[in-house]
Amino acid sequence: MANLNEQKGTMNDALNQKEAVFLRHKKTISIAIVAIILVVAGIICYETYVSGPKEQEASTALAKGQEYFSNQQYDKALKGDGAGYVGFVNIASDYSSTDAGNLANLYAGLCYANLDKWNDAVTYLDKFSPADDQMISPSAVAALGNAYAHVKQLDKAVEYLKKAASMADSEAADNTNNSISPIFLLQAGEILESQGKKSEALQIYQDIKTKYLNSAVSQDIDKYIERVSVK
């Protein structure tokens, strides 16, 4: 079985190249999946990946798909290569009772996002079952929020981005995750702005300023506050 530790960073390159374009207003907002740069590093927390034959089999299949994913061969990663690897879609279906099968849903959703097939991205990201962790699950939920933004379900987009921030905070020291929560909230605020909901966006921006003082996002938050405060 491939060493899961060796997979660190391989998803990073593919995700960091992708930035979501909020289609309704042609306004670029950073896609939440870039915040999953620590997903693979966090996989080692799923100790049950090696707890049984079926789980081990699924994890081995997943590793081959991850290789295609890291090489940006998203179609092969999704649907298989005709040479033994069956694809994330089939792994998710065939091993639905395993943690590796669950993670295959996340990978499939990210593949579809990279292929700009946002309805399919929504379908698979929604199938991923979050756990109680500080990075992987919140980032997956935020990715779903961004996917909803692309299919113009803006209220759901805001809902899931805010949920992702809350999830990340709940597992962090002092209930404050300065790394990813303010990123998700900033995205939610931008979407609210695009809907003309300036007062709701203002509240989010003010929360970022007061709660996430040590985050990079807070350093520039005043310009967002000023923008929505203009009458």
Side-chain angles (χ1 to χ4, degrees), residues 32 125-146 148 154-172 175 177 180-189 191-192 204 207 211-212:
L125 290 170
D126 189 45
K127 287 181 179 181
F128 175 73
S129 297
D132 295 327
D133 62 86
Q134 191 175 156
M135 298 297 294
I136 301 172
S137 295
S139 297
V141 170
L144 177 58
N146 271 271
Y148 274 126
L154 306 186
D155 290 339
K156 279 192 173 183
V158 171
E159 174 189 347
Y160 278 91
L161 287 165
K162 291 169 71 174
K163 178 181 178 180
S166 178
M167 289 172 63
D169 284 343
S170 70
E171 297 297 323
N175 292 319
N177 187 318
I180 59 177
S181 292
I183 296 173
F184 302 153
L185 291 174
L186 184 65
Q187 292 174 324
I191 293 173
L192 287 167
I204 286 179
D207 288 345
K211 184 174 182 178
Y212 305 98

Side-chain angles (χ1 to χ4, degrees), residues 25-209:
H25 293 275
K26 307 298 182 183
K27 178 180 183 179
T28 301
I29 58 174
S30 59
I31 192 167
I33 59 177
V34 299
I36 310 181
I37 56 175
L38 295 180
V39 166
V40 178
I43 291 174
I44 58 175
C45 296
Y46 287 106
E47 295 179 352
T48 52
Y49 269 29
V50 293
S51 65
K54 193 170 183 67
E55 192 73 71
Q56 189 169 348
E57 181 183 338
S59 184
T60 300
L62 193 73
K64 182 60 177 177
Q66 193 272 342
E67 182 180 332
Y68 284 125
F69 183 92
S70 67
N71 290 325
Q72 301 180 40
Q73 295 176 277
Y74 301 119
D75 281 319
K76 280 188 177 181
L78 279 167
K79 302 173 184 177
D81 58 9
Y85 169 65
V86 298
F88 289 136
V89 170
N90 283 321
I91 294 171
S93 175
D94 295 344
Y95 300 96
S96 58
S97 62
T98 68
D99 288 317
N102 182 42
L103 190 62
N105 284 312
L106 176 56
Y107 269 110
L110 296 178
C111 284
Y112 279 122
N114 277 281
L115 292 170
D116 292 324
K117 296 181 178 180
W118 293 100
N119 285 303
D120 291 321
V122 167
T123 296
Y124 280 91
L125 290 170
D126 189 45
K127 287 181 179 181
F128 175 73
S129 297
D132 295 327
D133 62 86
Q134 191 175 156
M135 298 297 294
I136 301 172
S137 295
S139 297
V141 170
L144 177 58
N146 271 271
Y148 274 126
H150 276 271
V151 298
K152 301 182 181 180
Q153 296 189 46
L154 306 186
D155 290 339
K156 279 192 173 183
V158 171
E159 174 189 347
Y160 278 91
L161 287 165
K162 291 169 71 174
K163 178 181 178 180
S166 178
M167 289 172 63
D169 284 343
S170 70
E171 297 297 323
D174 301 321
N175 292 319
T176 304
N177 187 318
N178 282 294
S179 298
I180 59 177
S181 292
I183 296 173
F184 302 153
L185 291 174
L186 184 65
Q187 292 174 324
E190 288 187 305
I191 293 173
L192 287 167
E193 276 193 74
S194 74
Q195 293 178 290
K197 300 178 180 179
K198 289 188 174 183
S199 61
E200 293 181 45
L202 176 60
Q203 183 62 60
I204 286 179
Y205 297 151
Q206 289 174 333
D207 288 345
I208 292 173
K209 182 173 182 177

Side-chain angles (χ1 to χ4, degrees), residues 5-25:
N5 283 314
E6 292 177 356
Q7 297 180 358
K8 290 183 180 182
T10 51
M11 190 180 286
N12 300 16
D13 293 338
L15 297 187
N16 283 328
Q17 292 173 7
K18 199 70 180 173
E19 189 173 78
V21 177
F22 182 44
L23 300 180
R24 182 177 177 182
H25 293 275

